[in-house]
Amino acid sequence: MCDKGRKILHVDLDAFFVSVEQVRNPELWGRPVVVGGEPGARGVVACASYEARAYGIYAGMPLTRAYRLCPHAIFLKGSFPRYRDASARFIAILADFTPQLEPTGLDEAYLDLTGFEPIYGPTSEAALSMKQRIKGEIGVTASIGIGPSKLVAKIASDLAKPDGLVEVAPGEERLFLAPLAIARLPCVGSKTEQLLKRLGVTTVGELADLSAPLLRARLGSMGDALYRYARGIDERGVETPLAAKSISRETTFIGDTLDYPFLKATLRYLSERVGAELRREGKRTRCITLKLRYADFDTITRSRTLKWAINADQAIFDVGVALLGRALWQRRQLVRLIGIGVSSLIGEERQLSLLDSSMECWERLDRVIDRLRHRYGFTAIQRGQTLPLKDAFPTFFELYGCN
Ligand code: DCP
Ligand code: CA
Protein backbone atom coordinates (compact mmCIF):
# COMPACT_ATOMS: atom_id res chain seq x y z
CA MET A 1 0.00 0.00 0.00
CA CYS A 2 2.07 2.92 -1.19
CA ASP A 3 -0.84 4.63 -2.87
CA LYS A 4 -0.09 8.36 -2.87
CA GLY A 5 -3.76 9.19 -2.64
CA ARG A 6 -4.29 7.47 0.70
CA LYS A 7 -6.13 9.39 3.40
CA ILE A 8 -4.77 8.15 6.69
CA LEU A 9 -5.88 9.78 9.94
CA HIS A 10 -4.21 9.65 13.32
CA VAL A 11 -6.59 10.63 16.11
CA ASP A 12 -5.17 11.26 19.58
CA LEU A 13 -7.03 12.56 22.63
CA ASP A 14 -5.43 15.49 24.45
CA ALA A 15 -4.09 14.94 27.99
CA PHE A 16 -6.37 11.92 28.12
CA PHE A 17 -6.50 10.91 31.81
CA VAL A 18 -6.67 14.52 32.99
CA SER A 19 -9.37 15.38 30.43
CA VAL A 20 -11.58 12.55 31.70
CA GLU A 21 -11.16 13.90 35.25
CA GLN A 22 -11.99 17.42 34.06
CA VAL A 23 -15.24 16.18 32.51
CA ARG A 24 -16.21 14.68 35.90
CA ASN A 25 -15.22 17.79 37.79
CA PRO A 26 -15.39 20.99 35.71
CA GLU A 27 -13.56 22.91 38.47
CA LEU A 28 -10.40 21.31 37.15
CA TRP A 29 -10.62 23.05 33.77
CA GLY A 30 -7.78 25.43 33.06
CA ARG A 31 -5.83 24.31 36.16
CA PRO A 32 -2.50 22.50 36.51
CA VAL A 33 -3.66 18.92 37.13
CA VAL A 34 -1.57 15.81 37.53
CA VAL A 35 -2.94 12.25 37.44
CA GLY A 36 -0.71 9.57 38.96
CA GLY A 37 -1.05 9.84 42.71
CA GLU A 38 -0.74 12.03 45.78
CA PRO A 39 2.21 14.44 45.69
CA GLY A 40 4.01 12.66 48.52
CA ALA A 41 3.46 9.21 47.02
CA ARG A 42 6.10 7.19 45.27
CA GLY A 43 5.38 6.68 41.64
CA VAL A 44 5.31 8.77 38.51
CA VAL A 45 3.10 11.19 36.64
CA ALA A 46 0.74 9.35 34.26
CA CYS A 47 -0.74 12.47 32.72
CA ALA A 48 -0.26 16.22 33.19
CA SER A 49 -2.68 18.89 31.97
CA TYR A 50 -1.24 21.36 29.49
CA GLU A 51 -1.25 23.96 32.31
CA ALA A 52 0.90 21.62 34.43
CA ARG A 53 3.19 20.96 31.45
CA ALA A 54 3.92 24.70 31.40
CA TYR A 55 5.77 24.09 34.70
CA GLY A 56 7.94 21.42 33.09
CA ILE A 57 5.89 18.46 34.34
CA TYR A 58 5.60 15.49 31.96
CA ALA A 59 4.44 11.86 31.97
CA GLY A 60 6.93 9.49 33.56
CA MET A 61 8.38 12.12 35.93
CA PRO A 62 8.49 11.19 39.66
CA LEU A 63 5.54 12.71 41.51
CA THR A 64 7.86 14.23 44.12
CA ARG A 65 9.65 16.19 41.40
CA ALA A 66 6.35 17.28 39.87
CA TYR A 67 5.30 18.59 43.27
CA ARG A 68 8.52 20.58 43.61
CA LEU A 69 7.96 22.13 40.17
CA CYS A 70 4.35 23.09 40.89
CA PRO A 71 3.21 22.68 44.52
CA HIS A 72 -0.20 24.21 43.83
CA ALA A 73 -1.05 21.67 41.11
CA ILE A 74 -4.00 19.37 41.81
CA PHE A 75 -2.77 15.78 42.23
CA LEU A 76 -5.23 12.95 41.58
CA LYS A 77 -4.91 9.20 41.85
CA GLY A 78 -7.19 8.60 38.87
CA SER A 79 -9.27 5.56 37.98
CA PHE A 80 -8.35 3.13 35.27
CA PRO A 81 -11.92 1.78 34.76
CA ARG A 82 -13.04 5.35 33.98
CA TYR A 83 -10.33 5.71 31.33
CA ARG A 84 -11.11 2.28 29.89
CA ASP A 85 -14.77 3.26 29.61
CA ALA A 86 -13.95 6.58 27.91
CA SER A 87 -11.58 4.73 25.58
CA ALA A 88 -14.29 2.26 24.53
CA ARG A 89 -16.66 5.13 23.73
CA PHE A 90 -13.92 6.92 21.80
CA ILE A 91 -13.15 3.87 19.65
CA ALA A 92 -16.89 3.28 19.07
CA ILE A 93 -17.23 6.80 17.64
CA LEU A 94 -14.30 6.23 15.28
CA ALA A 95 -15.77 2.88 14.20
CA ASP A 96 -18.89 4.73 13.01
CA PHE A 97 -16.71 6.38 10.36
CA THR A 98 -14.96 3.28 9.01
CA PRO A 99 -14.14 -0.29 9.93
CA GLN A 100 -10.60 0.44 8.68
CA LEU A 101 -9.57 1.33 12.18
CA GLU A 102 -6.42 0.46 14.14
CA PRO A 103 -6.42 1.48 17.81
CA THR A 104 -2.82 1.86 18.98
CA GLY A 105 -3.48 2.81 22.58
CA LEU A 106 -6.33 3.72 24.90
CA ASP A 107 -6.61 7.17 23.39
CA GLU A 108 -5.23 6.95 19.87
CA ALA A 109 -5.99 5.22 16.60
CA TYR A 110 -5.28 5.25 12.90
CA LEU A 111 -8.10 5.26 10.36
CA ASP A 112 -7.98 4.83 6.61
CA LEU A 113 -10.60 7.04 4.93
CA THR A 114 -9.26 6.56 1.41
CA GLY A 115 -12.12 6.70 -1.09
CA PHE A 116 -14.65 8.03 1.41
CA GLU A 117 -14.92 11.53 -0.10
CA PRO A 118 -18.16 10.72 -1.97
CA ILE A 119 -19.71 9.91 1.41
CA TYR A 120 -18.15 12.41 3.82
CA GLY A 121 -16.92 15.15 1.52
CA PRO A 122 -13.32 16.33 2.06
CA THR A 123 -11.45 14.20 4.63
CA SER A 124 -10.86 17.28 6.78
CA GLU A 125 -14.65 17.66 7.11
CA ALA A 126 -14.93 14.05 8.31
CA ALA A 127 -12.13 14.76 10.78
CA LEU A 128 -13.93 17.84 12.07
CA SER A 129 -17.14 15.92 12.63
CA MET A 130 -15.13 13.24 14.42
CA LYS A 131 -13.70 15.91 16.72
CA GLN A 132 -17.17 17.34 17.30
CA ARG A 133 -18.67 13.97 18.19
CA ILE A 134 -15.80 13.16 20.57
CA LYS A 135 -16.22 16.52 22.31
CA GLY A 136 -20.02 16.28 22.35
CA GLU A 137 -20.30 12.67 23.54
CA ILE A 138 -17.22 12.22 25.74
CA GLY A 139 -16.44 15.83 26.59
CA VAL A 140 -12.73 15.71 25.71
CA THR A 141 -10.78 17.23 22.83
CA ALA A 142 -8.94 15.29 20.15
CA SER A 143 -6.13 16.24 17.80
CA ILE A 144 -6.11 14.80 14.31
CA GLY A 145 -3.44 14.49 11.65
CA ILE A 146 -4.29 13.59 8.05
CA GLY A 147 -1.69 12.44 5.54
CA PRO A 148 -0.83 9.92 2.84
CA SER A 149 0.92 7.64 5.36
CA LYS A 150 0.78 6.62 9.01
CA LEU A 151 4.10 8.34 9.67
CA VAL A 152 2.92 11.70 8.37
CA ALA A 153 -0.53 11.41 9.99
CA LYS A 154 1.04 10.67 13.39
CA ILE A 155 3.48 13.57 13.26
CA ALA A 156 0.71 15.86 11.99
CA SER A 157 -1.52 14.97 14.96
CA ASP A 158 1.37 15.69 17.36
CA LEU A 159 1.79 19.11 15.77
CA ALA A 160 -1.96 19.71 15.93
CA LYS A 161 -2.02 19.42 19.74
CA PRO A 162 -4.11 20.43 21.57
CA ASP A 163 -7.54 20.34 19.90
CA GLY A 164 -6.23 20.85 16.37
CA LEU A 165 -6.32 19.43 12.88
CA VAL A 166 -3.36 19.33 10.50
CA GLU A 167 -3.62 17.94 6.98
CA VAL A 168 -0.62 17.19 4.78
CA ALA A 169 -1.45 16.92 1.08
CA PRO A 170 0.05 14.13 -1.04
CA GLY A 171 3.39 15.26 -2.46
CA GLU A 172 3.93 17.73 0.41
CA GLU A 173 5.31 15.16 2.87
CA ARG A 174 8.96 16.06 2.42
CA LEU A 175 8.31 19.77 2.68
CA PHE A 176 6.20 19.24 5.79
CA LEU A 177 8.83 17.13 7.53
CA ALA A 178 11.95 19.11 6.51
CA PRO A 179 11.97 21.76 9.29
CA LEU A 180 11.11 19.33 12.08
CA ALA A 181 13.62 18.05 14.64
CA ILE A 182 14.77 14.48 13.92
CA ALA A 183 13.42 13.37 17.31
CA ARG A 184 9.91 13.72 15.80
CA LEU A 185 10.54 10.62 13.69
CA PRO A 186 9.25 7.43 15.30
CA CYS A 187 12.46 5.39 15.51
CA VAL A 188 14.75 8.21 16.63
CA GLY A 189 15.57 7.76 20.32
CA SER A 190 18.19 9.75 22.17
CA LYS A 191 21.05 7.45 21.04
CA THR A 192 20.19 7.78 17.35
CA GLU A 193 19.62 11.49 17.83
CA GLN A 194 23.14 11.92 19.25
CA LEU A 195 24.66 9.85 16.46
CA LEU A 196 22.90 11.91 13.80
CA LYS A 197 23.89 15.13 15.52
CA ARG A 198 27.53 14.08 15.24
CA LEU A 199 26.87 13.82 11.48
CA GLY A 200 25.65 17.41 11.58
CA VAL A 201 21.99 16.46 11.28
CA THR A 202 19.38 18.08 13.52
CA THR A 203 16.37 18.40 11.20
CA VAL A 204 14.51 15.88 9.04
CA GLY A 205 15.43 17.98 5.99
CA GLU A 206 19.14 17.57 6.78
CA LEU A 207 18.57 13.85 7.27
CA ALA A 208 16.99 13.66 3.81
CA ASP A 209 20.24 15.05 2.36
CA LEU A 210 22.23 12.01 3.56
CA SER A 211 22.68 9.17 1.10
CA ALA A 212 21.17 5.72 1.65
CA PRO A 213 24.60 3.96 1.74
CA LEU A 214 25.92 6.38 4.38
CA LEU A 215 22.86 5.91 6.60
CA ARG A 216 23.04 2.16 6.18
CA ALA A 217 26.75 2.12 7.05
CA ARG A 218 26.15 4.13 10.23
CA LEU A 219 22.80 2.77 11.37
CA GLY A 220 22.23 -0.57 9.64
CA SER A 221 18.62 -1.46 8.83
CA MET A 222 17.40 1.51 10.87
CA GLY A 223 19.35 3.68 8.43
CA ASP A 224 17.20 2.30 5.61
CA ALA A 225 14.04 3.14 7.52
CA LEU A 226 15.28 6.66 8.28
CA TYR A 227 16.13 7.22 4.63
CA ARG A 228 12.53 6.48 3.71
CA TYR A 229 10.95 8.27 6.70
CA ALA A 230 12.90 11.46 5.95
CA ARG A 231 11.07 11.49 2.59
CA GLY A 232 7.73 10.76 4.22
CA ILE A 233 7.70 7.27 2.69
CA ASP A 234 5.85 4.79 4.89
CA GLU A 235 3.92 2.02 3.22
CA ARG A 236 2.39 0.47 6.33
CA GLY A 237 -1.34 0.01 6.05
CA VAL A 238 -3.97 0.55 8.74
CA GLU A 239 -4.29 -2.89 10.32
CA THR A 240 -7.72 -3.58 11.70
CA PRO A 241 -7.54 -5.99 14.61
CA LEU A 242 -11.03 -7.12 13.66
CA ALA A 243 -9.94 -8.05 10.15
CA ALA A 244 -8.76 -11.42 11.35
CA LYS A 245 -12.08 -12.00 13.05
CA SER A 246 -14.29 -11.28 10.06
CA ILE A 247 -14.25 -11.82 6.32
CA SER A 248 -16.38 -9.86 3.89
CA ARG A 249 -16.77 -9.04 0.24
CA GLU A 250 -18.80 -6.26 -1.29
CA THR A 251 -19.35 -4.71 -4.66
CA THR A 252 -20.63 -1.37 -5.88
CA PHE A 253 -22.76 -1.49 -9.01
CA ILE A 254 -22.04 0.74 -11.98
CA GLY A 255 -25.75 1.61 -12.09
CA ASP A 256 -28.07 1.44 -9.06
CA THR A 257 -30.39 -1.55 -9.36
CA LEU A 258 -33.44 -3.28 -7.93
CA ASP A 259 -33.25 -6.28 -10.23
CA TYR A 260 -33.80 -9.10 -7.72
CA PRO A 261 -32.34 -12.01 -9.76
CA PHE A 262 -29.27 -9.90 -10.46
CA LEU A 263 -28.88 -8.90 -6.79
CA LYS A 264 -29.26 -12.55 -5.77
CA ALA A 265 -26.71 -13.67 -8.34
CA THR A 266 -24.24 -11.06 -7.10
CA LEU A 267 -24.86 -12.19 -3.54
CA ARG A 268 -24.18 -15.77 -4.61
CA TYR A 269 -20.91 -14.74 -6.19
CA LEU A 270 -19.85 -12.76 -3.10
CA SER A 271 -20.89 -15.65 -0.80
CA GLU A 272 -18.65 -17.97 -2.80
CA ARG A 273 -15.78 -15.53 -2.43
CA VAL A 274 -16.30 -15.24 1.33
CA GLY A 275 -16.79 -19.01 1.68
CA ALA A 276 -13.60 -19.74 -0.24
CA GLU A 277 -11.58 -17.45 2.01
CA LEU A 278 -13.22 -18.86 5.13
CA ARG A 279 -12.20 -22.37 4.11
CA ARG A 280 -8.74 -21.24 3.07
CA GLU A 281 -8.28 -19.82 6.57
CA GLY A 282 -9.55 -23.09 8.05
CA LYS A 283 -12.47 -21.37 9.78
CA ARG A 284 -16.22 -21.62 10.25
CA THR A 285 -18.66 -18.82 11.02
CA ARG A 286 -21.57 -18.39 13.36
CA CYS A 287 -22.64 -14.92 12.22
CA ILE A 288 -23.54 -13.72 8.74
CA THR A 289 -24.05 -10.06 7.88
CA LEU A 290 -25.63 -8.56 4.80
CA LYS A 291 -24.72 -4.99 3.86
CA LEU A 292 -26.75 -2.79 1.52
CA ARG A 293 -26.07 0.74 0.46
CA TYR A 294 -29.04 2.43 -1.17
CA ALA A 295 -28.92 4.94 -3.99
CA ASP A 296 -29.08 7.79 -1.44
CA PHE A 297 -25.93 6.35 0.26
CA ASP A 298 -27.87 5.25 3.32
CA THR A 299 -26.17 2.05 4.42
CA ILE A 300 -27.72 -0.77 6.45
CA THR A 301 -26.36 -4.04 7.82
CA ARG A 302 -28.50 -7.01 8.85
CA SER A 303 -27.01 -9.94 10.73
CA ARG A 304 -28.11 -13.42 11.72
CA THR A 305 -26.45 -15.62 14.31
CA LEU A 306 -26.50 -19.33 13.53
CA LYS A 307 -26.91 -22.27 15.87
CA TRP A 308 -24.01 -24.15 14.24
CA ALA A 309 -20.80 -22.85 12.76
CA ILE A 310 -20.68 -23.37 8.98
CA ASN A 311 -18.41 -22.63 6.05
CA ALA A 312 -20.40 -23.83 3.03
CA ASP A 313 -21.10 -21.28 0.28
CA GLN A 314 -24.70 -22.48 0.17
CA ALA A 315 -25.25 -21.81 3.87
CA ILE A 316 -23.77 -18.31 3.67
CA PHE A 317 -25.81 -17.58 0.56
CA ASP A 318 -29.08 -18.92 2.02
CA VAL A 319 -28.81 -16.63 5.03
CA GLY A 320 -27.76 -13.72 2.82
CA VAL A 321 -30.79 -14.19 0.56
CA ALA A 322 -33.16 -14.37 3.53
CA LEU A 323 -31.70 -11.13 4.90
CA LEU A 324 -31.83 -9.50 1.47
CA GLY A 325 -35.47 -10.50 0.93
CA ARG A 326 -36.46 -9.01 4.26
CA ALA A 327 -34.46 -5.83 3.74
CA LEU A 328 -35.97 -5.20 0.30
CA TRP A 329 -39.43 -5.96 1.61
CA GLN A 330 -38.96 -3.31 4.29
CA ARG A 331 -37.50 -0.79 1.88
CA ARG A 332 -37.80 -0.96 -1.88
CA GLN A 333 -35.19 1.44 -3.10
CA LEU A 334 -32.48 1.17 -5.75
CA VAL A 335 -29.36 -0.52 -4.40
CA ARG A 336 -25.91 0.90 -4.97
CA LEU A 337 -23.77 -1.63 -3.10
CA ILE A 338 -24.26 -5.12 -1.78
CA GLY A 339 -21.93 -7.01 0.53
CA ILE A 340 -21.82 -10.09 2.71
CA GLY A 341 -19.57 -10.82 5.65
CA VAL A 342 -18.99 -13.51 8.23
CA SER A 343 -17.78 -13.08 11.80
CA SER A 344 -17.71 -15.03 15.10
CA LEU A 345 -15.17 -17.34 13.49
CA ILE A 346 -13.98 -20.58 15.02
CA GLY A 347 -11.53 -23.27 13.87
CA GLU A 348 -12.83 -25.54 11.09
CA GLU A 349 -12.42 -28.77 12.99
CA ARG A 350 -14.91 -27.73 15.67
CA GLN A 351 -18.59 -28.67 15.56
CA LEU A 352 -18.19 -30.87 12.51
CA SER A 353 -20.05 -33.72 14.14
CA LEU A 354 -23.05 -31.47 14.67
CA LEU A 355 -23.55 -30.74 10.99
CA ASP A 356 -26.37 -32.50 9.19
CA SER A 357 -25.68 -34.66 6.15
CA SER A 358 -26.89 -32.13 3.55
CA MET A 359 -24.44 -29.60 4.94
CA GLU A 360 -21.68 -32.16 4.75
CA CYS A 361 -22.56 -32.67 1.06
CA TRP A 362 -22.33 -28.94 0.41
CA GLU A 363 -18.99 -28.80 2.13
CA ARG A 364 -17.62 -31.72 0.10
CA LEU A 365 -18.73 -30.02 -3.11
CA ASP A 366 -17.11 -26.75 -1.99
CA ARG A 367 -13.83 -28.52 -1.35
CA VAL A 368 -13.83 -29.98 -4.88
CA ILE A 369 -14.65 -26.60 -6.40
CA ASP A 370 -12.02 -24.87 -4.25
CA ARG A 371 -9.39 -27.25 -5.61
CA LEU A 372 -10.45 -26.66 -9.21
CA ARG A 373 -10.52 -22.91 -8.75
CA HIS A 374 -7.17 -22.98 -7.03
CA ARG A 375 -5.79 -24.68 -10.13
CA TYR A 376 -7.65 -22.94 -12.97
CA GLY A 377 -8.77 -19.61 -11.47
CA PHE A 378 -11.95 -18.49 -9.75
CA THR A 379 -14.00 -17.97 -12.90
CA ALA A 380 -13.16 -21.47 -14.23
CA ILE A 381 -16.37 -22.71 -12.63
CA GLN A 382 -19.62 -20.86 -12.50
CA ARG A 383 -22.48 -22.05 -10.32
CA GLY A 384 -26.03 -21.97 -11.68
CA GLN A 385 -27.07 -19.26 -9.26
CA THR A 386 -24.60 -16.78 -10.74
CA LEU A 387 -25.92 -17.26 -14.30
CA PRO A 388 -27.66 -13.85 -14.33
CA LEU A 389 -24.11 -12.46 -14.21
CA LYS A 390 -23.05 -14.38 -17.30
CA ASP A 391 -23.26 -11.35 -19.57
CA ALA A 392 -20.69 -9.76 -17.34
CA PHE A 393 -18.29 -12.68 -17.59
CA PRO A 394 -15.41 -12.95 -18.26
CA THR A 395 -14.85 -9.33 -17.37
CA PHE A 396 -17.02 -9.48 -14.27
CA PHE A 397 -14.29 -8.18 -12.04
CA GLU A 398 -13.64 -5.04 -14.03
CA LEU A 399 -17.32 -4.40 -14.64
CA TYR A 400 -18.50 -4.76 -11.09
CA GLY A 401 -15.39 -3.64 -9.32
CA CYS A 402 -15.56 -6.42 -6.77
CA ASN A 403 -13.41 -5.56 -3.79
N1 DCP B 1 0.17 7.33 30.17
C1 DCP B 1 0.72 6.78 31.33
N2 DCP B 1 2.08 6.84 31.54
C2 DCP B 1 2.89 7.40 30.60
C3 DCP B 1 2.37 7.95 29.43
C4 DCP B 1 0.97 7.91 29.25
O1 DCP B 1 -0.02 6.26 32.16
N3 DCP B 1 4.21 7.45 30.83
C5 DCP B 1 -1.30 7.33 30.00
C6 DCP B 1 -1.87 8.62 30.48
C7 DCP B 1 -2.19 9.41 29.26
C8 DCP B 1 -2.52 8.31 28.28
O2 DCP B 1 -1.68 7.21 28.64
O3 DCP B 1 -3.27 10.30 29.47
C9 DCP B 1 -2.26 8.71 26.85
O4 DCP B 1 -0.89 9.02 26.66
P1 DCP B 1 -0.40 10.10 25.62
O5 DCP B 1 1.06 9.86 25.39
O6 DCP B 1 -1.30 10.13 24.44
O7 DCP B 1 -0.49 11.47 26.41
P2 DCP B 1 -1.72 12.37 26.81
O8 DCP B 1 -3.00 11.92 26.18
O9 DCP B 1 -1.74 12.45 28.30
O10 DCP B 1 -1.29 13.78 26.27
P3 DCP B 1 -1.21 14.29 24.75
O11 DCP B 1 -1.61 13.17 23.85
O12 DCP B 1 -2.15 15.46 24.71
O13 DCP B 1 0.22 14.72 24.59
CA1 CA C 1 -3.09 11.48 23.95
Side-chain angles (χ1 to χ4, degrees):
M1 277 289 275
C2 55
D3 178 7
K4 275 276 181 197
R6 284 192 302 166
K7 296 283 183 189
I8 311 276
L9 280 75
H10 183 255
V11 187
D12 188 339
L13 302 180
D14 303 320
F16 178 45
F17 288 6
V18 166
S19 300
V20 172
E21 299 301 334
Q22 286 169 325
V23 173
R24 274 185 87 221
N25 177 5
E27 282 179 16
L28 301 175
W29 285 114
R31 311 267 297 271
V33 180
V34 172
V35 170
E38 300 296 323
R42 283 158 46 148
V44 295
V45 173
C47 179
S49 67
Y50 280 73
E51 291 77 8
R53 292 181 202 191
Y55 289 87
I57 299 174
Y58 54 83
M61 170 185 280
L63 286 163
T64 44
R65 190 158 156 230
Y67 181 72
R68 276 202 303 278
L69 288 170
C70 183
H72 66 280
I74 299 153
F75 288 82
L76 303 169
K77 206 160 154 270
S79 148
F80 193 72
R82 267 203 294 278
Y83 310 138
R84 203 177 39 211
D85 172 63
S87 170
R89 288 185 291 138
F90 163 62
I91 299 296
I93 291 174
L94 301 184
D96 278 347
F97 286 81
T98 174
Q100 286 285 101
L101 169 67
E102 179 184 346
T104 47
L106 276 180
D107 76 331
E108 60 176 278
Y110 290 101
L111 293 87
D112 189 339
L113 284 186
T114 310
F116 275 79
E117 282 94 338
I119 302 170
Y120 298 130
T123 310
S124 54
E125 295 291 323
L128 284 175
S129 39
M130 234 173 256
K131 277 165 64 64
Q132 253 168 25
R133 276 197 61 189
I134 292 166
K135 178 77 186 153
E137 294 171 33
I138 308 174
V140 306
T141 57
S143 297
I144 302 186
I146 307 173
S149 66
K150 279 177 150 181
L151 169 87
V152 171
K154 166 85 174 90
I155 295 175
S157 78
D158 282 348
L159 293 182
K161 281 192 166 296
D163 198 15
L165 171 64
V166 169
E167 179 167 12
V168 181
E172 301 283 314
E173 302 91 315
R174 199 165 162 170
L175 212 62
F176 164 72
L177 295 171
L180 304 179
I182 41 175
R184 289 266 179 201
L185 294 178
C187 53
V188 177
S190 62
K191 232 171 107 187
T192 312
E193 193 182 359
Q194 291 314 315
L195 198 151
L196 287 170
K197 275 191 175 152
R198 281 200 293 279
L199 293 172
V201 169
T202 55
T203 66
V204 180
E206 288 161 355
L207 178 64
D209 289 337
L210 299 188
S211 72
L214 174 72
L215 279 168
R216 174 158 255 278
R218 297 297 174 109
L219 289 151
S221 61
M222 201 213 281
D224 292 340
L226 286 178
Y227 182 81
R228 286 183 289 112
Y229 283 177
R231 286 156 183 74
I233 302 168
D234 171 18
E235 292 164 1
R236 290 172 302 159
V238 171
E239 312 252 350
T240 51
L242 287 178
K245 293 186 200 142
S246 69
I247 296 170
S248 64
R249 288 290 182 279
E250 61 185 45
T251 189
T252 302
F253 301 116
I254 287 171
D256 302 338
T257 180
L258 201 50
D259 177 344
Y260 186 60
F262 179 70
L263 286 171
K264 246 176 87 173
T266 308
L267 195 59
R268 173 75 209 188
Y269 169 77
L270 297 171
S271 303
E272 289 177 19
R273 281 285 187 183
V274 167
E277 186 168 338
L278 198 54
R279 293 185 295 276
R280 198 165 51 240
E281 302 248 322
K283 298 267 167 60
R284 292 176 188 278
T285 175
R286 277 202 55 210
C287 182
I288 296 173
T289 302
L290 173 85
K291 176 174 169 185
L292 288 179
R293 178 166 297 139
Y294 292 102
D296 62 0
F297 278 98
D298 197 15
T299 306
I300 61 155
T301 55
R302 297 286 180 267
S303 298
R304 179 173 296 171
T305 303
L306 310 173
K307 275 202 186 114
W308 316 126
I310 54 90
N311 67 10
D313 295 347
Q314 187 66 38
I316 300 169
F317 175 63
D318 285 345
V319 174
V321 168
L323 294 170
L324 173 69
R326 188 178 305 167
L328 292 182
W329 181 74
Q330 284 171 343
R331 181 169 170 186
R332 287 198 72 76
Q333 203 193 338
L334 289 170
V335 173
R336 182 183 161 77
L337 170 151
I338 189 167
I340 188 136
V342 295
S343 52
S344 299
L345 308 187
I346 62 165
E348 193 164 30
E349 68 286 356
R350 307 220 353 236
Q351 289 201 6
L352 197 61
S353 57
L354 298 171
L355 295 174
D356 64 30
S357 58
S358 68
M359 195 56 75
E360 268 186 49
C361 276
W362 286 121
E363 293 200 355
R364 267 205 302 278
L365 180 62
D366 283 340
R367 279 197 293 274
V368 172
I369 293 179
D370 285 346
R371 274 203 297 277
L372 288 169
R373 282 178 165 165
H374 180 68
R375 203 148 163 198
Y376 300 109
F378 194 87
T379 49
I381 290 186
Q382 190 181 357
R383 303 261 183 102
Q385 288 126 318
T386 56
L387 279 179
L389 304 177
K390 74 177 187 310
D391 293 339
F393 277 101
T395 48
F396 179 84
F397 307 105
E398 291 88 53
L399 278 175
Y400 293 97
C402 182
N403 34 44

